[in-house]
Amino acid sequence: MAKSLLTPPPTTLAPIPFEDLVQQASAALPDSLEQTGPGMLVALDIDGTLLTADGASPAVLDTIERLQCVGVNVVIATGRGVGATLPVLSEVGIHDGWAVVSNGAIVMRIEDGQYEVVFKRYFDPSPLIDQVTQHLPEAILAVEDDSMYYRVSREFPPRELIEEFRIDDLEGLKSKPVTKLVVRMPGMSVADFEARVNELDMLNLSYAIGWTAWMDVNAPDTTKASSLEWLRGELDVPFTGSVAVGDGTNDMAMLRWAHHSVAMAGAIEQVRECANAVTGPVEYDGAAAVMEALLRRAAGNKNGSLM
């Protein structure tokens, strides 16, 4: 897995034993949560949740595989586009199932390692692009549409844009509806970037600011949560079977949506406040600890029923 600046920097937390994290995650599971199996949907963010800059750990791979073996719907829910999500699905061993990408603007079905886009949510980026070029003329813009690559106003800093890209002029970027618009200001602090973004009329669009001066923009009412709720209905999973794990501002709606939600310890306070519980940071396998807790809960209940 190629390293990318999409992954947030490591936390400064002292090492936490994995078993301690599992115990903490187990204690946080609500009694009302459905039993592990087809009646459960576990939505997992990628960057800062499943992946470090070096990829997925053995614990992440193991717990995802075991959840799938007992019938759990393990769903990747990411801000990445299709091209940058497919290698992750392969790396973490999800060859059949579903993925919510581009912050919910795209939903994919995966069968035997092949994917099919089930739906996309588009919007017209022109009004916002005009505003950005006026208020943030040095910003780099990128749009995602029906292509397998992004169209960008100029090159991003090295390794930031995982997907392939083509350079286009502003009129080209505005020429058709898109699933996502990215606004990037290299060299600007996140605080200053957020202040400048707040001066824009976002036209009721959905947006999230990342770990750097980077903003994803999607169609109105388009979030990971909106697509996960649609998928929950498709899979006939009860609300009490929904679990979500994430760390970014684009995960906030998803964390508020799930019956049981867990924020990574590396997340900012604003994100952690949206979750029911907090696990360890990605470098200490916090997400794997949550999945292990779900598996042990199922095993314990099964053993108890036989007594």
Side-chain angles (χ1 to χ4, degrees), residues 257-290:
W257 160 81
H259 178 58
H260 181 59
S261 59
V262 185
M264 305 296 290
I268 62 174
E269 183 177 358
Q270 183 184 14
V271 174
R272 297 197 304 269
E273 289 176 347
C274 296
N276 304 123
V278 176
T279 187
V282 62
E283 59 265 36
Y284 302 149
D285 284 323
V290 174

Side-chain angles (χ1 to χ4, degrees), residues 165-184:
F165 64 88
R166 307 285 188 274
I167 294 178
D168 202 352
D169 59 26
L170 289 178
E171 291 307 310
L173 297 181
K174 298 190 297 182
S175 63
K176 58 182 178 179
V178 301
T179 48
K180 184 169 68 175
L181 167 67
V182 176
V183 180
R184 175 73 170 104

Side-chain angles (χ1 to χ4, degrees), residues 29-53:
L29 295 177
D31 293 338
S32 54
L33 188 65
E34 293 291 319
Q35 290 304 305
T36 305
M40 179 173 284
L41 186 161
V42 177
L44 301 168
D45 173 52
I46 292 178
D47 298 287
T49 300
L50 293 184
L51 301 186
T52 66

Side-chain angles (χ1 to χ4, degrees), residues 3-259:
K3 294 184 179 181
S4 166
L5 296 180
L6 287 176
T7 301
T11 68
T12 57
L13 295 174
I16 308 170
F18 183 70
E19 186 60 31
D20 288 356
L21 292 176
V22 174
Q23 294 300 320
Q24 294 169 14
S26 295
L29 295 177
D31 293 338
S32 54
L33 188 65
E34 293 291 319
Q35 290 304 305
T36 305
M40 179 173 284
L41 186 161
V42 177
L44 301 168
D45 173 52
I46 292 178
D47 298 287
T49 300
L50 293 184
L51 301 186
T52 66
D54 297 319
S57 72
V60 165
L61 301 180
D62 173 63
T63 48
I64 287 178
E65 179 182 14
R66 288 159 58 210
L67 280 178
Q68 291 182 108
C69 285
V70 296
V72 172
N73 300 286
V74 180
V75 179
I76 292 298
T78 178
R80 293 183 181 218
V82 173
T85 302
L86 293 175
V88 177
L89 294 172
S90 177
E91 178 176 355
V92 302
I94 297 179
H95 306 295
D96 294 279
W98 297 79
V100 170
V101 305
S102 295
N103 297 317
I106 301 173
V107 174
M108 301 189 301
R109 180 188 289 114
I110 303 98
E111 295 183 359
D112 295 325
Q114 303 299 310
Y115 79 95
E116 172 192 6
V117 173
V118 176
F119 70 74
K120 294 184 176 183
R121 294 190 172 111
Y122 295 92
F123 71 99
D124 178 7
S126 300
L128 186 55
I129 288 178
D130 288 339
Q131 288 189 69
V132 171
T133 54
Q134 180 179 353
H135 290 85
L136 294 167
E138 297 180 1
I140 306 175
L141 302 175
V143 295
E144 173 190 75
D145 48 38
D146 290 322
S147 308
M148 281 297 290
Y149 55 84
Y150 275 65
R151 291 181 292 118
V152 305
S153 58
R154 67 177 192 274
E155 288 194 29
F156 278 62
R159 299 192 306 276
E160 281 199 2
L161 193 65
I162 302 175
E163 292 88 348
E164 298 207 7
F165 64 88
R166 307 285 188 274
I167 294 178
D168 202 352
D169 59 26
L170 289 178
E171 291 307 310
L173 297 181
K174 298 190 297 182
S175 63
K176 58 182 178 179
V178 301
T179 48
K180 184 169 68 175
L181 167 67
V182 176
V183 180
R184 175 73 170 104
M185 278 293 293
M188 181 176 284
S189 71
V190 177
D192 288 344
F193 181 67
E194 187 169 7
R196 297 289 294 277
V197 164
N198 286 338
E199 298 173 357
L200 303 174
D201 180 356
M202 296 301 291
L203 309 168
N204 295 319
L205 296 170
S206 300
Y207 69 96
I209 297 172
W211 298 95
T212 59
W214 173 305
M215 177 172 69
D216 284 346
V217 185
N218 298 97
D221 301 318
T222 298
T223 64
K224 295 181 182 183
S226 63
S227 289
L228 286 167
E229 177 61 17
W230 174 86
L231 182 56
R232 185 180 71 80
E234 285 290 300
L235 298 174
D236 197 27
V237 171
F239 172 70
T240 49
S242 57
V243 178
V245 187
D247 75 310
T249 55
N250 63 337
D251 294 317
M252 291 168 64
M254 176 177 79
L255 294 174
R256 289 191 293 259
W257 160 81
H259 178 58

